[in-house]
Amino acid sequence: MVIKRIDKKQLKIGMFVEAIEGPWRDDPAMGRRFLLKTAEQLAAIVNGNVSGVFINTALGKPRGASDTIVSEQKTLRNATRQEKLRIAQAINHQSEEAKGLIQGVFDGQDVSVAAFAPLSDDIGRTMDENPSLFIGISRLRSQDTATFVHSLSVAALMVHFARSMEMDESIVQLLCVAGLLHDVGKLAIPKQILHKQGPLNADERVQIEQHPELGYEILKKQSDMPELVLEICRSHHERIDGKGYPQGLSGTRISPEVRMSTICDVFDALTSARSYKKGWSAQHALSWMMDREEQFDRTLLRRFILSLDTEMTKGLL
């Protein structure tokens, strides 16, 4: 699925409409997602109180499956060797810093939020310089560093996402810290379960699903851990439909910041290569996520896609 936001005046018959921005009453004849077939349908949208339209160009203009990864490959291929090396070195350095801070918190050291500030600033600068290259290189991670690089990547995505929404910089910094610490509870899970190749059995699944609560209890022991960081650690696996864990929260009981963290967490997990799986292309991952409105906040997910308006996602936005 290739999603692109256009002005309503750019809409044409034959386009496939995924969603409409602005006050809008669904026409039962059209449905929630529909192929724009008639002049009457077009006029209803163009003349209505609509601010923008999200279209699916894959359905409106069929393309080969290989197109989904071309732009990502092009981004990495066109980057100079020096650029790749510089970003890779930055990620290695940041992941080592993240490992030290996260491990310190897990070991019971009283690590202040201020201690994360230099790393948060560094992550923000590196991500802003070249989001596609940062994401592309961070997708490749070893088994031993997977948890820490994943946390680093989620933090970077959170910073980029929040800044694209023009959130207050103090909140951006907290979201970065939350991204770094959201999986601290996984350090309490046996490595043979974390790195298992193949499906988990019922007992292993129960243990994995304990990591948000374990992380929350670890972070609560810190003397000045902000409530937002605690909330994201505990609730980043909750779902809009209430089928998440550990508390089964649903709807408005899940804050916008937690919903943002879920999007960033799942996107990085889907696109990252692990010892037991290949990473998906960004377009494949975002398409899969867009098809699961019961799991993600669709409005925020669209904003996330728009925030990744880079070579990596050309054709999707």
Side-chain angles (χ1 to χ4, degrees), residues 18-50:
E18 282 286 346
I20 295 175
E21 285 184 337
W24 177 259
R25 193 173 197 173
D26 288 339
D27 183 339
M30 294 184 185
R32 297 182 63 184
R33 301 170 65 235
F34 59 93
L35 181 66
L36 193 63
K37 295 180 179 179
T38 68
E40 289 78 13
Q41 290 176 328
L42 178 61
I45 296 172
V46 172
N47 298 326
N49 189 11
V50 173

Side-chain angles (χ1 to χ4, degrees), residues 55-68:
I55 61 170
N56 187 327
T57 60
L59 295 180
K61 184 181 178 182
R63 56 171 53 194
S66 61
D67 292 340
T68 60

Side-chain angles (χ1 to χ4, degrees), residues 16-301:
F16 192 94
V17 177
E18 282 286 346
I20 295 175
E21 285 184 337
W24 177 259
R25 193 173 197 173
D26 288 339
D27 183 339
M30 294 184 185
R32 297 182 63 184
R33 301 170 65 235
F34 59 93
L35 181 66
L36 193 63
K37 295 180 179 179
T38 68
E40 289 78 13
Q41 290 176 328
L42 178 61
I45 296 172
V46 172
N47 298 326
N49 189 11
V50 173
S51 56
V53 181
F54 288 89
I55 61 170
N56 187 327
T57 60
L59 295 180
K61 184 181 178 182
R63 56 171 53 194
S66 61
D67 292 340
T68 60
I69 60 173
V70 168
S71 60
E72 289 181 68
Q73 293 173 336
K74 183 179 177 182
T75 297
L76 293 176
R77 187 169 61 245
N78 289 350
T80 67
R81 183 176 180 181
Q82 288 83 355
E83 286 178 311
K84 293 178 184 177
L85 180 60
R86 182 173 57 80
I87 296 293
Q89 288 175 335
I91 290 172
N92 286 337
H93 175 70
Q94 291 164 7
S95 64
E96 283 300 314
E97 282 196 59
K99 180 179 180 179
L101 289 166
I102 296 167
Q103 189 69 54
V105 171
F106 177 74
D107 290 340
Q109 299 174 23
D110 195 7
V111 181
S112 69
V113 172
F116 287 85
L119 177 57
S120 296
D121 291 341
D122 197 22
I123 290 170
R125 281 194 300 270
T126 309
M127 182 67 169
D128 287 344
E129 283 177 17
N130 195 326
S132 298
L133 199 54
F134 186 101
I135 294 169
I137 292 175
S138 68
R139 287 171 61 178
L140 306 174
R141 56 197 66 169
S142 70
Q143 179 172 298
D144 292 336
T145 64
T147 296
F148 301 110
V149 179
H150 169 65
S151 296
L152 175 68
S153 298
V154 172
L157 289 168
M158 293 276 278
V159 168
H160 195 67
F161 190 8
R163 285 180 175 163
S164 76
M165 295 176 64
E166 299 183 346
M167 298 177 75
D168 187 87
E169 192 61 26
S170 63
I171 300 299
V172 173
Q173 294 299 313
L174 285 182
L175 291 176
C176 186
V177 174
L180 289 168
L181 291 173
H182 79 286
D183 268 349
V184 65
K186 281 189 175 179
L187 298 184
I189 305 297
K191 287 186 177 180
Q192 63 267 28
I193 295 179
L194 285 179
H195 305 310
K196 181 179 179 180
Q197 300 189 28
L200 301 175
N201 61 39
D203 180 63
E204 291 166 339
R205 172 58 57 187
V206 168
Q207 290 189 64
I208 281 285
E209 292 185 359
Q210 290 175 351
H211 82 267
E213 197 71 53
L214 290 171
Y216 174 74
E217 293 299 328
I218 290 167
L219 295 185
K220 272 206 316 183
K221 296 175 183 177
Q222 295 291 309
S223 60
D224 69 341
M225 193 58 61
E227 188 61 35
L228 179 58
V229 178
L230 291 169
E231 182 186 18
I232 287 174
C233 178
R234 191 181 202 181
S235 302
H236 65 277
H237 281 291
E238 301 289 357
R239 293 170 39 140
I240 299 297
D241 61 4
K243 295 182 180 179
Y245 60 89
Q247 295 175 289
L249 303 179
S250 64
T252 57
R253 295 181 66 195
I254 306 173
S255 73
E257 293 83 3
V258 170
R259 297 178 189 205
M260 290 171 66
S261 73
T262 300
I263 289 169
C264 295
D265 181 46
V266 172
F267 175 75
D268 184 70
L270 291 176
T271 57
S272 298
R274 300 287 181 87
S275 60
Y276 50 85
K277 76 172 185 72
K278 293 182 178 180
W280 290 3
S281 72
Q283 291 193 1
H284 184 187
L286 292 169
S287 174
W288 183 90
M289 292 169 74
M290 282 293 288
D291 284 340
R292 283 156 179 80
E293 59 183 302
E294 75 283 355
Q295 187 169 349
F296 306 102
D297 182 314
R298 284 180 69 86
T299 299
L300 283 175
L301 181 54

